[in-house]
């Protein structure tokens, strides 16, 4: 497994390619979070790519608020990168 930063870049690129949306990346405490908005419809192939990409994260989820939907993925930072 690569560094969290490299994993985040790879994950963000996969999500961008699958959704056509620009992922947002943030740092919070001991984790990197990547979020990407989901378009109204995704092809079956794009859905699979999103799910496979999310499966590489330490934690992931789906949110729907007022009709707006997005997925998120958290990657823990390694202790050596926090120093």
């Amino acid at each position: 497994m690569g560094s969290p930063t490299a994993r985040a870049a790879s994950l963000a690129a996969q999500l961008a390619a699958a959704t056509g949306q620009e992922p947002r990346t943030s740092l919070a405490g001991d984790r990197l979070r990547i979020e990407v908005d989901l378009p109204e419809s995704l092809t079956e192939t794009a859905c699979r790519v999103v799910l496979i990409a999310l499966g590489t994260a330490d934690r992931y989820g789906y949110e729907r608020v007022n009709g707006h939907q997005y997925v998120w993925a958290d990657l823990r930072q390694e202790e050596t990168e926090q120093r």
Side-chain angles (χ1 to χ4, degrees), residues 7-23:
R7 289 175 59 207
S10 175
L11 179 55
Q14 291 174 57
L15 292 174
T19 65
Q21 304 294 315
E22 185 67 30

Side-chain angles (χ1 to χ4, degrees), residues 24-59:
R24 300 174 296 281
T25 304
S26 60
L27 179 61
D30 67 343
R31 64 182 168 79
L32 293 170
R33 175 165 278 201
I34 301 159
E35 297 178 352
V36 68
D37 296 329
L38 295 175
E40 289 297 316
S41 63
L42 284 175
T43 65
E44 185 176 329
T45 300
C47 286
R48 286 183 183 164
V49 170
V50 168
L51 292 174
I52 290 167
L54 291 175
T56 67
D58 296 314
R59 294 183 343 150

